[in-house]
Amino acid sequence: MDLIFIADVFVENGILGGGELNNDEFIKIVEEQGNRVQKINSQHVTLDVVKNNLDKTYIISNFLGLSEEVKREIASSAKYGIYEHDHKYLKTRDPSGYENYKAPQEHVINWGFYQNAKGVFCQSELHANVAERNLNTGNVISLGGNLWSLEILEHIRELSKTNKENFYSIMESEIDHKNTGGAIRWCKYKEKPYKLIRSKDYKSFLEMMAKNEGFVFFPETLETLSRVVVEARMLNCKVVTHDKLGAAGEEWFKLKGPELIDVMISKRSEIPKLVLETLAS
């Protein structure tokens, strides 16, 4: 299959967020399967780019850089799917402020863009249910997980054997909705010893988390999955959180350590297969 993958940024742009890491792994996997993938930053997609590539299939991740006319052209002419990482169908990009996560109709945006997609691929059942509740397009699909490289998964497998210290990890973040302060307050109220962890180096962060028996995380916005919480479970850590996490509602979330790592290894074949089969249908 000839694919064009559109995103605002890619890992080679120096952005290592969860969505970018997932996208990068997805692209590597489908290329290894013999598919051809052209990556284009959304701000570089013009009408001519779309019109000259209508023989290809588009996978569209974050798309803030797409103009309205380009979105209309894709929706009317191209075969495409949307690999959703948040909630770009809402003006706020966050359903947390609405009762039962259902926004009023006037707050729903990009509706036609979502409606005409072959599939809107969401990170979890919670994410998919909220998206369908607001879009009502009938094409929303839960992927039920994220993608990690085999190298990272095997690194996590080794770290999962780490002897745990009697501390709870709290991710130190300046991002307000990650709610570092709320996690600290919980530990103090419950009289649980805690350590703030942060590192610009991904593997070092995992090593810090692996050393402590638990991980506390109370985000203030709906998390479509929450890679960090899945990583904590794979590292054999207890997790203290709430129901705003997509991962917490997945059947596999009751697992941890090697059992959960094996599930995420299986997702490396399941997720690309579901996306490509949907786009080919």
Side-chain angles (χ1 to χ4, degrees), residues 131-186:
E132 181 61 28
R133 193 175 305 158
N134 286 279
L135 289 168
N136 195 29
T137 50
N139 61 351
V140 178
I141 298 167
S142 170
L143 297 176
N146 258 204
L147 300 171
W148 284 262
S149 70
L150 285 174
E151 179 207 350
I152 287 296
L153 290 171
E154 291 308 320
H155 183 61
I156 290 174
R157 191 186 299 274
E158 286 304 308
L159 291 177
S160 72
K161 304 171 187 175
T162 304
N163 292 327
K164 308 296 186 195
E165 298 178 6
N166 184 31
F167 289 93
Y168 280 77
S169 297
I170 295 174
M171 182 171 60
E172 187 176 14
S173 175
E174 282 79 38
I175 301 172
D176 289 343
H177 66 78
K178 297 300 182 184
N179 196 17
T180 297
I184 292 172
R185 287 191 294 274
W186 182 89

Side-chain angles (χ1 to χ4, degrees), residues 181-194:
I184 292 172
R185 287 191 294 274
W186 182 89
C187 286
K188 288 181 176 178
Y189 178 74
K190 294 290 187 178
E191 298 182 339
K192 301 288 187 182
Y194 66 88

Side-chain angles (χ1 to χ4, degrees), residues 51-161:
K51 291 176 180 179
N52 292 333
N53 290 281
L54 292 178
D55 58 327
K56 298 181 174 65
T57 300
Y58 291 77
I59 299 177
I60 300 166
S61 182
N62 292 330
F63 56 85
L64 293 183
L66 291 184
S67 69
E68 291 302 316
E69 62 178 1
V70 165
K71 282 187 278 188
R72 285 193 295 269
E73 182 65 29
I74 291 173
S76 63
S77 305
K79 179 188 285 190
Y80 68 101
I82 297 176
Y83 203 133
E84 183 70 6
H85 289 291
D86 50 25
H87 312 274
K88 290 178 290 299
Y89 50 86
L90 296 177
K91 289 181 179 179
T92 61
R93 293 181 68 181
D94 174 24
S96 303
Y98 304 109
E99 184 177 357
N100 201 28
Y101 302 131
K102 176 70 168 68
Q105 193 61 41
E106 61 268 24
H107 290 190
V108 176
I109 59 174
N110 295 313
W111 186 82
F113 195 51
Y114 283 91
Q115 181 197 35
N116 289 330
K118 297 280 286 184
V120 177
F121 304 103
C122 292
Q123 308 302 305
S124 64
E125 284 292 336
L126 174 61
H127 186 199
N129 289 342
V130 172
E132 181 61 28
R133 193 175 305 158
N134 286 279
L135 289 168
N136 195 29
T137 50
N139 61 351
V140 178
I141 298 167
S142 170
L143 297 176
N146 258 204
L147 300 171
W148 284 262
S149 70
L150 285 174
E151 179 207 350
I152 287 296
L153 290 171
E154 291 308 320
H155 183 61
I156 290 174
R157 191 186 299 274
E158 286 304 308
L159 291 177
S160 72
K161 304 171 187 175

